[in-house]
Amino acid sequence: MDYLRMRDIAEDLGSYAERFEGSWHVEIGPSGPVLAMRRPSKRREGMVRRVREQLDAQIISTHPGHICANGPQVEHPAIGRMRRPDAVVIPEATLDEEGLAVDATQVLAAVEIVSPSHPSNDYDEKLTDYPAMGIPHYMIVDPRTGTIEVHSEPCKGRYGSKEPYIFGDSVAFGPWTVETSEFRRYGRDR
């Protein structure tokens, strides 16, 4: 099925999902459009907020006119993918444009906080899709294990560099640093 047809199906699914309670999102992955319910935990949302705030504070000087946002879809029609990262670094002006998704060529970085129910989505599918989309930096934060992976140098559909970290580290993420001392694992308190 061609991407335009998949995109039409994704838009129809998104419109259909607006009738349901809860938070739903549509992605186009290797097997086509998928409608999924988002049930992010408070702890997961707290990590997304911490990452966004830290990156926003640094982006002002490294990439004026850009922000770290959560929510916008990212698409790359040539490879037939549309994803919704937990956070993305994009030009702020893209959020004022018409349409469903941000062009992947405008994305400087993507961040995913691994869900306890579907970790393969972040470690397998998105780890393949994001470099194929040309996204320069990808950070995977895993509250199940207290680990972080930073991927960079996309080339031929793969990232050429992978740097491992643990919660509590200062994480080098592209030209920015993310402090993770406040990150907490799932099911564990301080």
Side-chain angles (χ1 to χ4, degrees):
M1 178 182 311
D2 72 346
Y3 183 75
L4 291 177
R5 180 69 184 128
M6 286 192 291
R7 183 74 155 53
D8 288 342
I9 292 169
E11 285 187 35
D12 289 345
L13 284 171
S15 296
Y16 183 70
E18 289 175 3
R19 300 180 204 163
F20 301 134
E21 288 186 30
S23 177
W24 294 83
H25 73 278
V26 178
E27 292 186 330
I28 300 174
S31 54
V34 175
L35 175 65
M37 183 176 192
R38 293 177 61 98
R39 292 184 34 210
S41 68
K42 292 184 292 183
R43 185 157 288 173
R44 185 169 185 250
E45 290 302 303
M47 279 184 263
V48 171
R49 182 188 57 77
R50 285 182 181 93
V51 169
R52 284 186 53 228
E53 287 177 354
Q54 290 184 51
L55 292 178
D56 271 338
Q58 298 168 65
I59 289 168
I60 291 170
S61 61
T62 63
H63 295 83
H66 286 68
I67 61 167
C68 184
N70 66 328
Q73 302 275 28
V74 174
E75 75 177 334
H76 195 296
I79 65 165
R81 297 290 187 274
M82 183 171 68
R83 293 296 190 174
R84 184 174 183 196
D86 290 322
V88 289
V89 177
I90 55 175
E92 186 172 15
T94 61
L95 296 178
D96 293 326
E97 298 171 353
E98 281 293 325
L100 178 67
V102 173
D103 185 318
T105 61
Q106 296 182 303
V107 177
L108 299 180
V111 178
E112 296 289 356
I113 311 298
V114 176
S115 79
S117 60
H118 195 44
S120 65
N121 192 37
D122 300 322
Y123 280 111
D124 298 328
E125 294 176 18
K126 291 182 180 181
L127 189 54
T128 300
D129 289 347
Y130 290 162
M133 291 174 149
I135 297 174
H137 306 283
Y138 175 35
M139 181 166 59
I140 304 171
V141 179
D142 194 338
R144 298 169 315 136
T145 60
T147 59
I148 300 161
E149 292 181 2
V150 173
H151 299 268
S152 60
E153 301 174 18
C155 181
K156 298 181 182 179
R158 297 180 50 184
Y159 284 112
S161 177
K162 172 185 161 185
E163 296 296 326
Y165 297 91
I166 60 171
F167 284 16
D169 287 346
S170 293
V171 176
F173 183 47
W176 315 291
T177 301
V178 176
E179 297 297 335
T180 66
S181 61
E182 297 296 314
F183 288 12
R184 299 290 167 252
R185 292 176 66 178
Y186 292 139
R188 296 193 181 184
D189 290 325
R190 293 180 184 238

